[in-house]
Amino acid sequence: FDPRHYLGTHCYSWPKTGPHRLRFLLESVKDLRETLKRKGSTLVVRKGKPEDVVCDLITQLGSVTAVVFHEEVREIL
């Protein structure tokens, strides 16, 4: 979870994530983790800036051959 996603928007500083959206997101991640666990896998969840968290995670894991990510699309007005 990138804390920057829960700050205000670029325009008018409206909240990007309200309480209902946050609850849905947390419940979805919990459900995904439980589903993966039943299939013998797991889900790593971290809080922080991705550029820091991913680097730390790669260091902890040691033998990482690939990293895949997506970037949020920003609407240009």
Side-chain angles (χ1 to χ4, degrees):
F1 291 95
D2 185 343
R4 296 173 290 195
H5 286 251
Y6 307 96
L7 302 174
T9 59
H10 300 285
C11 299
Y12 309 111
S13 197
W14 291 334
K16 286 184 178 181
T17 305
H20 300 291
R21 183 176 183 188
L22 180 59
R23 183 180 311 118
F24 174 77
L25 178 61
L26 293 173
E27 289 172 355
S28 297
V29 169
K30 181 181 177 184
D31 182 66
L32 176 59
R33 177 180 267 163
E34 291 170 359
T35 300
L36 289 170
K37 189 174 181 179
R38 284 193 303 271
K39 295 182 180 288
S41 190
T42 190
L43 177 66
V44 176
V45 179
R46 297 286 187 267
K47 176 184 171 189
K49 294 180 179 178
E51 57 270 26
D52 299 330
V53 173
V54 171
C55 185
D56 292 343
L57 189 57
I58 290 170
T59 301
Q60 288 174 5
L61 294 173
S63 61
V64 175
T65 57
V67 176
V68 180
F69 66 94
H70 80 279
E71 184 175 354
E72 180 180 5
V73 176
R74 293 185 181 197
E75 186 175 328
I76 300 174
L77 300 175

